[in-house]
Structures are given as structure tokens and as C-alpha cells.
């Protein structure tokens, strides 16, 4: 399996990622994009969702393939030595929601390039059972505001495709200028494979001021059978 080249590379896709769970437009789309790029790299790949992603409907063609959705956003590749390489990406989906093309360009700080300013909530997720992760498993993490709506408003989210086993690292990016007054933040996380929840947080994890300073460790429990 070859590493993905993150310096202005275009990958023509012949393999299709498994269907993603329907968490909403952003989570579903970025999960499909993360699924494909995860097939082409031995490193961990993190794809940012809202508010860092833009999803647009289109009616264009790439060769003979009709493109129905264009997804643009940011992400990062975490190498086995722990180094993180941020990138910007464009992901093209067909009418069935399958990935047709993924294009990524590395963010090069030495050239004055940088991602938008953000406050980062970093951590890792694991589970206690001695069960190997199936191929294609992905971690989905969301930071929610439940101050006004108990179901939560998504503040930021990320899908992580890991080449290894748990713990799986994540790094949620919250826009630097986000107003925090009156918010009640919680973290939601689950491990998904083939559209089904394998492990999840039993209850959303409250987020306080100290959680912006030190890594968070999440322990997931086995999910409900068949939950999508």
C-alpha cells in the first residue's frame, strides 16, 4: 500500500469506499472522502467537517464520470512517527455519493501558507475489549453545543481513518473567534465500520476550559447492534 502524495496530486479512483453512516450532510460526505484517501495511505488521515468544509452540488464531468457533489476543506495526515502534515483537499462524488476523485495539496508553513486560526481540542479514543478493528473503521468525533438544543448543534467535527489500532488520535479545530459565552459543550465520539457503530461514548463527554489545554482520553463502549 502506497502513501498518498500530499503535494498537489490527483488520484483517479478505481476503488469505492464503504457507505458512510448518515450523520448529516457534512459527516456523510467527509466520511466518504476520508474512506477513499484512507485506502491509499498507510498513515492516519483526519478530515475536518463543519465549519471547515464546503459542499456544493454540481453537474460537471471528469472524463465520462458525472460529478454531483464537490467537497472542499481541510485535513491532516498523521505519520507513524507522530508528525502531522495539514492539507487542503477537493473531493468529487458521483450521483450515488461514491468518490470519483480526491485531490490534496499540502499546507507549507515555510512558504507562508497556513490553515485558518483555530483553537484545538486534541485527544484520543480507545476501547477496552480485545477486538481488532476491521479494515475501513473510522473514528467520528463531534463537538456539540447543547445549551439550547439537547440534541446538540455541531460546532466542529472530524472523521479519522487510522491505519493502525487504538488509541486513535483526533484534533478538533474550533474557529479562533468563536464566542464561548452561554455555550454548554460536549464531545460525541464513535467508531464506525461499513456504516455500523462498533463502539461509542456511552454519554457525551462535557468539555471545560482545561480540556483546551491538555489531551482528552476517551474510552468507547460497544455500540448498539445494527445502529447506523
Amino acid at each position: 500500500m502506497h502513501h498518498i502524495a500530499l503535494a498537489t496530486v490527483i488520484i483517479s479512483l478505481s476503488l469505492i469506499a464503504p457507505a458512510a453512516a448518515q450523520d448529516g450532510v457534512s459527516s456523510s460526505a467527509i466520511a466518504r472522502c476520508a474512506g477513499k484517501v484512507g485506502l491509499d495511505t498507510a498513515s492516519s488521515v483526519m478530515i475536518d467537517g463543519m465549519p471547515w468544509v464546503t459542499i456544493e452540488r454540481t453537474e460537471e464531468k471528469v472524463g465520462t464520470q458525472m460529478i454531483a457533489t464537490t467537497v472542499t476543506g481541510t485535513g491532516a495526515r498523521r505519520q507513524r512517527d507522530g508528525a502531522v502534515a495539514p492539507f487542503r483537499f477537493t473531493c468529487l462524488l458521483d450521483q450515488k455519493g461514491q468518490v470519483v476523485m480526491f485531490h490534496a495539496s499540502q499546507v507549507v508553513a515555510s512558504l507562508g501558507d497556513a490553515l485558518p486560526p483555530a483553537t484545538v481540542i486534541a485527544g484520543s479514543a480507545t476501547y477496552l475489549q480485545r477486538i481488532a478493528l476491521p479494515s475501513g473503521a473510522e473514528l467520528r468525533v463531534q463537538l456539540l453545543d447543547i445549551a439550547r438544543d439537547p440534541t446538540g448543534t455541531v460546532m466542529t467535527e472530524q472523521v479519522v481513518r487510522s491505519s493502525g489500532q487504538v488509541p486513535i488520535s483526533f484534533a478538533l479545530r474550533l474557529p479562533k473567534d468563536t464566542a464561548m459565552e452561554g455555550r454548554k459543550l460536549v464531545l460525541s465520539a464513535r467508531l464506525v465500520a461499513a456504516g455500523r457503530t462498533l463502539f461509542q461514548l456511552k454519554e457525551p463527554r462535557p468539555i471545560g476550559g482545561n480540556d483546551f489545554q491538555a489531551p482528552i482520553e476517551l474510552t468507547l463502549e460497544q455500540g448498539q447492534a445494527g445502529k447506523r
Side-chain angles (χ1 to χ4, degrees):
M1 185 175 292
H2 299 287
H3 289 265
I4 180 174
L6 290 177
T8 313
V9 60
I10 294 180
I11 305 171
S12 295
L13 307 183
S14 59
L15 296 176
I16 300 300
Q22 299 298 319
D23 287 349
V25 175
S26 178
S27 291
S28 177
I30 64 174
R32 291 178 184 271
C33 296
K36 176 50 201 172
V37 70
L39 291 174
D40 294 295
T41 178
S43 57
S44 177
V45 176
M46 301 176 287
I47 300 291
D48 300 322
M50 295 188 295
W52 307 105
V53 67
T54 299
I55 301 173
E56 298 177 319
R57 302 292 296 179
T58 184
E59 293 183 359
E60 300 180 356
K61 279 188 176 183
V62 174
T64 59
Q65 290 281 351
M66 179 64 72
I67 305 303
T69 307
T70 299
V71 183
T72 56
T74 59
R77 178 168 60 90
R78 185 184 298 275
Q79 302 176 1
R80 291 181 177 178
D81 61 2
V84 176
F87 60 82
R88 294 184 179 86
F89 73 89
T90 298
C91 180
L92 307 181
L93 308 178
D94 64 17
Q95 294 175 328
K96 295 181 179 180
Q98 306 291 2
V99 180
V100 175
M101 183 183 298
F102 186 94
H103 169 274
S105 58
Q106 186 171 344
V107 175
V108 184
S110 61
L111 299 179
D113 193 13
L115 296 181
T119 299
V120 178
I121 300 178
S124 61
T126 189
Y127 53 83
L128 301 180
Q129 289 83 351
R130 294 184 178 181
I131 303 173
L133 282 177
S135 176
E138 61 193 29
L139 175 68
R140 300 185 184 184
V141 187
Q142 292 182 319
L143 180 67
L144 306 172
D145 179 12
I146 60 171
R148 297 182 179 179
D149 182 357
T151 61
T153 300
V154 178
M155 301 292 293
T156 186
E157 62 183 344
Q158 189 171 75
V159 173
V160 184
R161 267 295 180 106
S162 177
S163 61
Q165 299 301 311
V166 292
I168 299 175
S169 298
F170 62 87
L172 290 169
R173 300 175 62 249
L174 188 66
K176 200 73 172 181
D177 59 356
T178 301
M180 302 303 291
E181 184 178 355
R183 297 193 185 278
K184 185 177 181 181
L185 301 179
V186 298
L187 207 60
S188 171
R190 62 193 183 107
L191 272 166
V192 177
R196 298 185 182 279
T197 297
L198 304 178
F199 299 92
Q200 61 188 357
L201 281 179
K202 184 176 181 179
E203 299 289 342
R205 198 253 198 216
I207 297 297
N210 293 336
D211 293 319
F212 290 86
Q213 310 298 326
I216 298 171
E217 296 182 359
L218 303 177
T219 300
L220 310 183
E221 299 185 12
Q222 282 189 298
Q224 299 175 16
K227 181 179 179 180
R228 289 183 176 270

mmCIF file of all heavy atoms in Angstrom, residues 9 12 31 37 46 64 75 88 105 107 118 132 153 178 190 200 204-205 210 214 228:
data_model
loop_
_atom_site.group_PDB
_atom_site.id
_atom_site.type_symbol
_atom_site.label_atom_id
_atom_site.label_comp_id
_atom_site.label_asym_id
_atom_site.label_seq_id
_atom_site.Cartn_x
_atom_site.Cartn_y
_atom_site.Cartn_z
ATOM 1 N N VAL A 9 -1.388 16.506 -5.832
ATOM 2 C CA VAL A 9 -1.502 15.231 -6.529
ATOM 3 C C VAL A 9 -2.964 14.959 -6.804
ATOM 4 O O VAL A 9 -3.829 15.309 -6.024
ATOM 5 C CB VAL A 9 -0.888 14.077 -5.694
ATOM 6 C CG1 VAL A 9 -1.579 13.953 -4.374
ATOM 7 C CG2 VAL A 9 -0.962 12.757 -6.437
ATOM 8 N N SER A 12 -6.876 9.236 -9.404
ATOM 9 C CA SER A 12 -8.044 8.698 -10.094
ATOM 10 C C SER A 12 -8.464 7.445 -9.364
ATOM 11 O O SER A 12 -7.651 6.554 -9.136
ATOM 12 C CB SER A 12 -7.694 8.371 -11.546
ATOM 13 O OG SER A 12 -7.375 9.555 -12.235
ATOM 14 N N ALA A 31 -16.860 11.541 5.474
ATOM 15 C CA ALA A 31 -16.548 10.140 5.759
ATOM 16 C C ALA A 31 -16.221 9.398 4.469
ATOM 17 O O ALA A 31 -15.308 8.570 4.422
ATOM 18 C CB ALA A 31 -17.715 9.470 6.478
ATOM 19 N N VAL A 37 -9.301 8.217 0.744
ATOM 20 C CA VAL A 37 -7.907 8.573 0.949
ATOM 21 C C VAL A 37 -7.251 7.595 1.915
ATOM 22 O O VAL A 37 -6.072 7.296 1.828
ATOM 23 C CB VAL A 37 -7.763 10.034 1.439
ATOM 24 C CG1 VAL A 37 -8.273 10.205 2.847
ATOM 25 C CG2 VAL A 37 -6.321 10.499 1.337
ATOM 26 N N MET A 46 -6.971 12.529 8.893
ATOM 27 C CA MET A 46 -8.026 13.252 9.588
ATOM 28 C C MET A 46 -8.654 14.251 8.619
ATOM 29 O O MET A 46 -7.946 15.086 8.048
ATOM 30 C CB MET A 46 -7.448 13.985 10.803
ATOM 31 C CG MET A 46 -6.777 13.068 11.809
ATOM 32 S SD MET A 46 -5.995 13.935 13.199
ATOM 33 C CE MET A 46 -4.551 14.647 12.383
ATOM 34 N N THR A 64 -15.662 10.524 -18.333
ATOM 35 C CA THR A 64 -17.043 10.086 -18.564
ATOM 36 C C THR A 64 -17.864 10.085 -17.280
ATOM 37 O O THR A 64 -19.049 9.776 -17.300
ATOM 38 C CB THR A 64 -17.049 8.667 -19.159
ATOM 39 O OG1 THR A 64 -16.399 7.769 -18.245
ATOM 40 C CG2 THR A 64 -16.318 8.635 -20.500
ATOM 41 N N GLY A 75 -7.695 19.057 6.184
ATOM 42 C CA GLY A 75 -7.442 17.826 6.910
ATOM 43 C C GLY A 75 -5.975 17.738 7.271
ATOM 44 O O GLY A 75 -5.224 18.708 7.144
ATOM 45 N N ARG A 88 -5.090 20.877 2.288
ATOM 46 C CA ARG A 88 -6.389 21.266 1.760
ATOM 47 C C ARG A 88 -6.780 20.238 0.704
ATOM 48 O O ARG A 88 -5.901 19.698 0.029
ATOM 49 C CB ARG A 88 -6.344 22.665 1.153
ATOM 50 C CG ARG A 88 -6.092 23.770 2.170
ATOM 51 C CD ARG A 88 -6.155 25.142 1.509
ATOM 52 N NE ARG A 88 -5.951 26.218 2.468
ATOM 53 C CZ ARG A 88 -4.762 26.675 2.828
ATOM 54 N NH1 ARG A 88 -3.679 26.156 2.274
ATOM 55 N NH2 ARG A 88 -4.645 27.631 3.717
ATOM 56 N N SER A 105 -3.486 19.119 -1.475
ATOM 57 C CA SER A 105 -2.254 19.903 -1.558
ATOM 58 C C SER A 105 -1.790 20.234 -0.150
ATOM 59 O O SER A 105 -2.572 20.705 0.689
ATOM 60 C CB SER A 105 -2.475 21.189 -2.363
ATOM 61 O OG SER A 105 -3.489 21.973 -1.793
ATOM 62 N N VAL A 107 -0.206 21.938 3.081
ATOM 63 C CA VAL A 107 -0.027 23.298 3.601
ATOM 64 C C VAL A 107 1.431 23.437 4.029
ATOM 65 O O VAL A 107 1.890 22.714 4.917
ATOM 66 C CB VAL A 107 -0.961 23.560 4.796
ATOM 67 C CG1 VAL A 107 -0.678 24.928 5.421
ATOM 68 C CG2 VAL A 107 -2.413 23.471 4.347
ATOM 69 N N ALA A 118 -7.269 28.620 14.731
ATOM 70 C CA ALA A 118 -8.238 27.754 15.404
ATOM 71 C C ALA A 118 -7.757 27.396 16.796
ATOM 72 O O ALA A 118 -6.557 27.382 17.090
ATOM 73 C CB ALA A 118 -8.461 26.483 14.597
ATOM 74 N N ALA A 132 -9.826 -6.626 17.407
ATOM 75 C CA ALA A 132 -9.113 -5.870 16.382
ATOM 76 C C ALA A 132 -10.104 -5.050 15.558
ATOM 77 O O ALA A 132 -11.228 -5.490 15.297
ATOM 78 C CB ALA A 132 -8.337 -6.813 15.469
ATOM 79 N N THR A 153 -25.940 21.233 18.714
ATOM 80 C CA THR A 153 -25.569 21.924 17.484
ATOM 81 C C THR A 153 -24.099 21.665 17.225
ATOM 82 O O THR A 153 -23.256 21.859 18.114
ATOM 83 C CB THR A 153 -25.802 23.444 17.612
ATOM 84 O OG1 THR A 153 -27.184 23.685 17.876
ATOM 85 C CG2 THR A 153 -25.384 24.165 16.343
ATOM 86 N N THR A 178 -14.646 32.051 17.752
ATOM 87 C CA THR A 178 -15.935 31.528 18.219
ATOM 88 C C THR A 178 -16.286 32.081 19.596
ATOM 89 O O THR A 178 -15.490 31.995 20.534
ATOM 90 C CB THR A 178 -15.905 29.991 18.297
ATOM 91 O OG1 THR A 178 -15.613 29.455 17.011
ATOM 92 C CG2 THR A 178 -17.250 29.450 18.771
ATOM 93 N N ARG A 190 -17.661 8.079 18.130
ATOM 94 C CA ARG A 190 -17.970 6.673 17.871
ATOM 95 C C ARG A 190 -17.071 6.122 16.780
ATOM 96 O O ARG A 190 -16.584 6.847 15.915
ATOM 97 C CB ARG A 190 -19.434 6.489 17.511
ATOM 98 C CG ARG A 190 -19.921 7.180 16.265
ATOM 99 C CD ARG A 190 -21.443 7.160 16.212
ATOM 100 N NE ARG A 190 -21.982 7.742 14.997
ATOM 101 C CZ ARG A 190 -22.529 7.061 14.007
ATOM 102 N NH1 ARG A 190 -22.586 5.740 14.069
ATOM 103 N NH2 ARG A 190 -23.019 7.657 12.951
ATOM 104 N N GLN A 200 -18.874 3.405 20.963
ATOM 105 C CA GLN A 200 -19.275 4.798 21.090
ATOM 106 C C GLN A 200 -19.170 5.241 22.545
ATOM 107 O O GLN A 200 -19.100 4.409 23.460
ATOM 108 C CB GLN A 200 -20.712 4.974 20.619
ATOM 109 C CG GLN A 200 -21.721 4.173 21.425
ATOM 110 C CD GLN A 200 -23.127 4.206 20.833
ATOM 111 O OE1 GLN A 200 -23.367 4.867 19.839
ATOM 112 N NE2 GLN A 200 -24.046 3.496 21.449
ATOM 113 N N PRO A 204 -22.368 11.735 26.172
ATOM 114 C CA PRO A 204 -21.484 12.809 25.687
ATOM 115 C C PRO A 204 -20.571 13.278 26.807
ATOM 116 O O PRO A 204 -20.965 13.359 27.973
ATOM 117 C CB PRO A 204 -22.476 13.907 25.275
ATOM 118 C CG PRO A 204 -23.743 13.172 24.969
ATOM 119 C CD PRO A 204 -23.786 12.028 25.949
ATOM 120 N N ARG A 205 -19.351 13.602 26.469
ATOM 121 C CA ARG A 205 -18.350 13.992 27.460
ATOM 122 C C ARG A 205 -18.315 15.523 27.576
ATOM 123 O O ARG A 205 -18.015 16.224 26.611
ATOM 124 C CB ARG A 205 -16.990 13.458 27.020
ATOM 125 C CG ARG A 205 -15.966 13.424 28.158
ATOM 126 C CD ARG A 205 -14.973 14.512 27.944
ATOM 127 N NE ARG A 205 -13.765 14.294 28.719
ATOM 128 C CZ ARG A 205 -13.093 15.297 29.270
ATOM 129 N NH1 ARG A 205 -13.513 16.551 29.144
ATOM 130 N NH2 ARG A 205 -11.988 15.061 29.937
ATOM 131 N N ASN A 210 -10.211 23.460 30.908
ATOM 132 C CA ASN A 210 -8.956 22.713 30.965
ATOM 133 C C ASN A 210 -8.780 21.772 29.778
ATOM 134 O O ASN A 210 -7.658 21.387 29.448
ATOM 135 C CB ASN A 210 -8.878 21.913 32.268
ATOM 136 C CG ASN A 210 -8.766 22.804 33.489
ATOM 137 O OD1 ASN A 210 -8.306 23.942 33.394
ATOM 138 N ND2 ASN A 210 -9.196 22.296 34.639
ATOM 139 N N ALA A 214 -5.041 20.370 27.566
ATOM 140 C CA ALA A 214 -4.412 19.051 27.655
ATOM 141 C C ALA A 214 -5.200 18.034 26.837
ATOM 142 O O ALA A 214 -6.416 18.172 26.664
ATOM 143 C CB ALA A 214 -4.331 18.605 29.116
ATOM 144 N N ARG A 228 -26.864 2.702 12.773
ATOM 145 C CA ARG A 228 -26.173 3.382 11.684
ATOM 146 C C ARG A 228 -26.028 4.864 11.986
ATOM 147 O O ARG A 228 -26.723 5.395 12.817
ATOM 148 C CB ARG A 228 -26.946 3.196 10.370
ATOM 149 C CG ARG A 228 -26.841 1.763 9.855
ATOM 150 C CD ARG A 228 -27.552 1.630 8.526
ATOM 151 N NE ARG A 228 -27.398 0.304 7.976
ATOM 152 C CZ ARG A 228 -26.412 -0.060 7.174
ATOM 153 N NH1 ARG A 228 -25.485 0.808 6.847
ATOM 154 N NH2 ARG A 228 -26.323 -1.274 6.699
#
